[in-house]
Amino acid sequence: MQFDDDAGLDTSEVQDARGSRIPGGRATVGGGVVGLVALLLGLFFGLGPEELGLSSGGPATAPTSSTAAQVERDCRTGRDANTREDCRIVAVVNSVQDYWEQEFRQRGAAYTPSRTVLFSDRINTACGAASSAVGPFYCPGDRQVYLDLGFFDELRTKFGSSGGPFAQAYVVAHEYGHHVQDLMGTLRRAQDGRTGANSNAVRVELQADCYAGIWAHHATTTPDASTGRPLITSLTTADVRDGLDAAAAVGDDRIQEKFQGRVTPESWTHGSAAQRQQWFTTGYRDGDLASCDTFR
């Protein structure tokens, strides 16, 4: 995956809260067994920690000003995105939102942008306090995506993904799929408390995978606001393969087999590895929202 070296990056879509301290209550999500349980429950769930029962119980507060602020300082162009991981996330966020803004406009609707907040260790959100253990998530309460970049190392080392830039892009695009669902009123269908292979929770997750595939289908043709040219200039078969490998690595069956030694479909919240790959592939192949009706 390559970005246009001369394209300008819009860092206003990403807040760098790495190194910030959380004011207020103590986050109850930690490492060890609690962190693992949180990860199994929350990975790519699309809901904030409060909905998962992992909040501190105190009032949620916004992230403090970052002492790092590396994104705003260092991520200026597509060239930076081709050389730095945090800048690559900025570029992917820009590309994903360029696409959805265009798609909503063509449908006569208005797209409301969502920020991605980069954090380290712990963060407070409108959905409650969380640690990195919950993995990337989307908070409906403040309509923001939260991401600790350290997760990408865990995706490769703990979950066996091949990794690579497009595996990271898939994760980001999946979370923005939840934002699209939130804007369309679909996300709340996952909040009925049910689990299982045919639950709404699984259907919402698979649809977000499909939406990620739709973005990938259009990524190299969606014009960037700063240049009028696509921000992403190249997306190869190997890139897509890395995305599919990441999707499979976080399938419920793979995670359950790895961490509990058995597969229990009645507790699924995300879908199997095969299902996640199938729905990403559907979106990538068709590039059409109509193909992503996982509730049929």
Side-chain angles (χ1 to χ4, degrees), residues 223-234:
D224 176 64
S226 69
T227 64
R229 303 187 303 269
L231 178 55
I232 295 178
T233 60
S234 173

Side-chain angles (χ1 to χ4, degrees), residues 40 251-268 272:
L40 294 180
D252 281 322
D253 52 342
R254 292 272 188 94
I255 292 175
Q256 289 179 340
E257 181 66 35
K258 183 175 183 64
F259 290 102
Q260 66 184 31
R262 58 193 175 89
V263 176
T264 54
E266 64 275 10
S267 64
W268 285 5
S272 68

Side-chain angles (χ1 to χ4, degrees), residues 22-29 55-58 122 124 129:
I22 302 177
R26 178 178 59 87
T28 59
V29 182
S55 70
S56 66
R122 294 180 177 183
N124 269 3

Side-chain angles (χ1 to χ4, degrees), residues 10 13 15 50 53 92 121 151 165 175 178 200 206 218 280 285 291-292 294:
D10 182 1
E13 294 185 350
Q15 177 179 354
E50 186 172 66
V92 171
D121 299 326
F151 168 76
E175 296 305 333
H178 287 313
N200 283 340
L206 297 178
H218 295 281
F280 176 88
R285 180 192 65 220
S291 298
C292 292
T294 57

Side-chain angles (χ1 to χ4, degrees), residues 9-15 71-73 75-76 90 94:
L9 300 184
D10 182 1
T11 58
S12 70
E13 294 185 350
V14 176
Q15 177 179 354
V71 164
E72 185 176 358
R73 184 185 67 228
C75 301
R76 303 296 183 86
V90 174
N94 289 172

